[in-house]
């Protein structure tokens, strides 16, 4: 579970930052998802190790051009490069389908794979055996949403040393015990696999706000997130500008991370006025004063979302009982 | 009158070439025009000395995505960067206005300048005191047009040495003579200004084909062009592919330039399969064997369209006559 920032500026591209897009790689599913798709996203992917063939879903936080206008070209190139025949599902506010149909229509683009549309509504919008995507309304000038990708809990580690010390013979039995089954050994002992396996490990949590001013909804979205990506368009000195545009200051983003109990915060979507270093350093300092685990995103920054340390307790000898005990 | 190639690849961006766009600067009008506007054109402009504030017209050869999808972002950025309040006129096939209206509508983009639309038809589509733009249908998979920008003839040079030798007093009289007026000197001589001014100098001619297979119409468009920009998507070895896509080979483009009596030919819109140098060298050789004044375009190549050498003959002493002679 790894994110790559493909665009970290707001409104217009600059010399150092493209407009918004973020890739999430899910190696467990050999899949890539995108969050927003500003103009030039396909160019950024071309310059990265990411592959359009793995694209599966794009989640649009809102339909402002700097989050949207890269979509037709990316969809066309995925087809022209013969980079995948699997469907791509586009999650977005109403209007997204109109835009795509007109863009592909007037340009005579006929992608060689199905494109599906799903209009966003608050709640669970995607679920499979491994992941859930939750959508929540944000607070911006236009209808906007944030997304949390929640990995489901993973089975705990199998305590192989304990299995050896109990003289459980290696082989197919191990697989059944790992899966939590109860098995009867040839010597009559009954072993509950669940007791050889540690507690479920918590799944990872990634949250992406899109564009929003500080809101309770963003706090709820970022709850306990391992990585929270929050927009921070402005310095505190430009707070009035932020309010007018329903954007966040660095302080607002940091307050959200703090209140959400997030484990790390990546700021993005910086105003082009801060193109130069000193002002962005100030922006970072404003956030870190509230939430120290803050970093500034930059184009092509990749972050592996870590599993948390956890106490992987397994059963002990005294927990074991012979069959019928 | 200077062109700058902003994208010289076909279909999809590559590591070295963006998709189609070409800028024409007309310093006489402090104006920039674009021909086609593939995704990332605004990014290319950002990396060039060109300025969106000078943008006045965009001419679309056709609506394939690699010539079109950079338009909404470019229009939005021109407004967001406060880079001009003057109108922008979009010339294109039917469908262009639908695309722009839907793209700007769903994205809540409200440009701070007027956008005008003009549906292309063969013939003169633009004219002012200095330039004429002629549009002609090309031969591609979808409705496509090429454009010729024709500078009107310029007045010949004023022969100042001759004026001196005729003892015409310097001052306001010179301005009137330069403008071709007939003036009466204080000594009674009548001087016809036209005879102190050389012949009209021919205007420069620039032609751009957009996407097309070899066609008589492209030959007519490029007639006597100082610079002909012609697509050359394929090598001769890939001619079948060219025919299928109604694209040109380098030989087809060169033949067009030769038959048109063009003065120079710039090839563009290369297939991504020729990303590496050797194949593009071969492509150039195939064209030069037919039309030696051929060059390969590359992104950010700028070409000043030269005025032609011409015989700027002026009248001689014996042409002068005293008033009443």
């Amino acid at each position: 579970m790894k994110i790559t920032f493909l665009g970290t500026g707001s409104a217009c591209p600059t010399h150092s930052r493209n407009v918004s897009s973020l890739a999430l790689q899910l190696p467990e599913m050999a899949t890539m998802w995108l969050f927003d798709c500003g103009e030039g996203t396909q160019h950024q992917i071309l310059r990265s190790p990411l592959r359009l063939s793995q694209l599966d879903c794009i989640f649009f936080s809102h339909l402002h051009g700097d989050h949207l206008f890269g979509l037709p070209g990316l969809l066309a190139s995925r087809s022209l490069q013969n980079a995948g025949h699997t469907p791509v599902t586009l999650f977005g506010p109403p209007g997204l389908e109109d835009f795509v149909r007109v863009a592909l229509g007037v340009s005579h683009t006929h992608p060689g794979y199905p494109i599906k549309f799903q209009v966003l509504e608050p709640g669970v919008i995607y679920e499979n055996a491994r992941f859930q995507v939750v959508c929540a309304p944000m607070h911006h000038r236009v209808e906007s949403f944030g997304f949390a990708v929640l990995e489901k809990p993973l089975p705990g580690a199998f305590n192989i040393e304990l299995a050896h010390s109990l003289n459980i013979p290696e082989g197919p039995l191990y697989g059944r015990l790992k899966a939590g089954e109860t098995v009867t050994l040839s010597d009559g002992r009954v072993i509950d696999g669940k007791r050889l396996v540690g507690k479920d490990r918590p799944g990872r949590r990634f949250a992406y706000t899109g564009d929003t001013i500080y809101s309770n909804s963003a706090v709820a979205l970022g709850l306990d997130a391992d990585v929270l990506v929050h927009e921070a368009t402005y310095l505190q000195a430009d707070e009035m500008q932020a309010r007018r545009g329903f954007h966040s200051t660095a302080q607002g983003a940091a307050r959200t991370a703090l209140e959400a109990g997030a484990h790390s915060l990546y700021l993005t979507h910086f105003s082009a006025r801060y193109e130069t270093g000193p002002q962005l350093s100030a922006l970072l300092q404003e956030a870190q004063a509230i939430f120290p685990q803050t970093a500034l995103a930059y184009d092509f920054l990749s972050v592996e979302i870590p599993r948390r340390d956890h106490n992987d307790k397994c059963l002990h000898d005294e927990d074991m009982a012979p069959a019928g005990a």
Side-chain angles (χ1 to χ4, degrees), chain A residues 100-161:
Chain A
V100 172
R101 294 213 183 280
V102 169
L104 300 187
V106 301
S107 63
H108 303 269
T109 305
H110 309 288
Y113 55 87
I115 297 175
K116 300 175 180 178
F117 295 91
Q118 190 169 327
V119 173
L120 290 176
E121 292 196 11
V124 175
I125 54 169
Y126 177 99
E127 184 157 17
N128 66 16
R130 294 292 299 269
F131 298 98
Q132 210 179 41
V133 181
V134 174
C135 167
M138 295 290 108
H139 201 183
H140 191 44
R141 284 200 307 287
V142 300
E143 189 177 22
S144 291
F145 296 90
F147 304 99
V149 180
L150 310 177
E151 186 183 29
K152 295 184 178 177
L154 295 166
F158 183 68
N159 191 335
I160 198 159
E161 294 80 8

Side-chain angles (χ1 to χ4, degrees), chain A residues 35 78 82 103 142 152-153 159 196 207 221 265 284 286 289 315:
Chain A
F35 292 83
R78 185 176 191 260
N82 214 13
V142 300
K152 295 184 178 177
N159 191 335
L196 275 168
L221 186 80
L265 169 64
L284 177 61
E286 288 185 355
L315 80 177

Side-chain angles (χ1 to χ4, degrees), chain A residues 161-180:
Chain A
E161 294 80 8
L162 180 57
H164 284 160
S165 73
L166 292 171
N167 294 315
I168 301 172
E170 288 200 25
L173 272 182
Y174 272 44
R176 292 174 57 198
L177 289 166
K178 279 181 191 173

Side-chain angles (χ1 to χ4, degrees), chain A residues 7-315:
Chain A
T8 57
S10 72
C12 303
T14 69
H15 287 284
S16 57
R17 296 178 191 274
N18 199 33
V19 286
S20 291
S21 186
L22 181 146
L24 173 68
Q25 288 171 281
L26 299 168
E28 303 84 351
M29 295 163 57
T31 281
M32 172 177 72
W33 293 348
L34 290 178
F35 292 83
D36 293 327
C37 187
E39 182 182 355
T41 296
Q42 66 162 321
H43 299 68
Q44 299 289 82
I45 289 174
L46 184 69
R47 296 177 193 121
S48 80
L50 303 169
R51 290 288 157 262
L52 277 181
S53 55
Q54 294 204 326
L55 180 65
D56 177 39
C57 296
I58 311 181
F59 300 90
F60 287 89
S61 64
H62 64 302
L63 299 185
H64 275 155
D66 60 328
H67 296 246
L68 173 65
F69 288 159
L71 179 59
L74 181 138
L75 293 175
S77 288
R78 185 176 191 260
S79 187
L80 288 162
Q81 294 165 355
N82 214 13
H85 301 283
T86 51
V88 171
T89 305
L90 307 177
F91 296 78
L96 178 62
E97 183 166 353
D98 280 353
F99 172 64
V100 172
R101 294 213 183 280
V102 169
L104 300 187
V106 301
S107 63
H108 303 269
T109 305
H110 309 288
Y113 55 87
I115 297 175
K116 300 175 180 178
F117 295 91
Q118 190 169 327
V119 173
L120 290 176
E121 292 196 11
V124 175
I125 54 169
Y126 177 99
E127 184 157 17
N128 66 16
R130 294 292 299 269
F131 298 98
Q132 210 179 41
V133 181
V134 174
C135 167
M138 295 290 108
H139 201 183
H140 191 44
R141 284 200 307 287
V142 300
E143 189 177 22
S144 291
F145 296 90
F147 304 99
V149 180
L150 310 177
E151 186 183 29
K152 295 184 178 177
L154 295 166
F158 183 68
N159 191 335
I160 198 159
E161 294 80 8
L162 180 57
H164 284 160
S165 73
L166 292 171
N167 294 315
I168 301 172
E170 288 200 25
L173 272 182
Y174 272 44
R176 292 174 57 198
L177 289 166
K178 279 181 191 173
E181 290 182 33
T182 296
V183 301
T184 303
L185 303 184
S186 56
D187 61 10
R189 285 183 296 156
V190 174
I191 310 282
D192 180 358
K194 292 190 194 72
R195 308 180 79 187
L196 275 168
V197 171
K199 281 185 186 159
D200 277 0
R201 291 173 291 172
R204 291 160 291 184
R205 301 170 77 92
F206 161 66
Y208 172 79
T209 63
D211 288 8
T212 189
I213 197 166
Y214 171 87
S215 79
N216 293 334
S217 177
V219 173
L221 186 80
L223 211 68
D224 197 31
D226 296 287
V227 170
L228 170 63
V229 173
H230 199 298
E231 72 124 306
T233 311
Y234 292 109
L235 278 166
Q236 204 57 29
D238 293 322
E239 194 193 359
M240 283 312 297
Q241 185 93 7
R243 283 181 185 276
R244 273 198 296 274
F246 289 82
H247 280 297
S248 292
T249 61
Q251 284 188 10
R255 192 177 143 206
T256 302
L258 184 70
E259 294 173 3
H263 298 257
S264 66
L265 169 64
Y266 287 85
L267 302 180
T268 186
H269 201 267
F270 308 117
S271 168
R273 71 186 67 186
Y274 310 141
E275 177 88 350
T276 55
Q279 286 179 292
L280 283 178
S281 299
L283 193 145
L284 177 61
Q285 285 166 15
E286 288 185 355
Q288 286 181 333
I290 294 170
F291 189 79
Q293 299 79 35
T294 306
L296 299 179
Y298 52 87
D299 287 18
F300 301 112
L301 168 65
S302 279
V303 178
E304 185 75 46
I305 299 180
R307 293 202 179 282
R308 297 186 204 166
D309 290 342
H310 62 106
N311 196 350
D312 211 0
K313 274 185 192 155
C314 290
L315 80 177

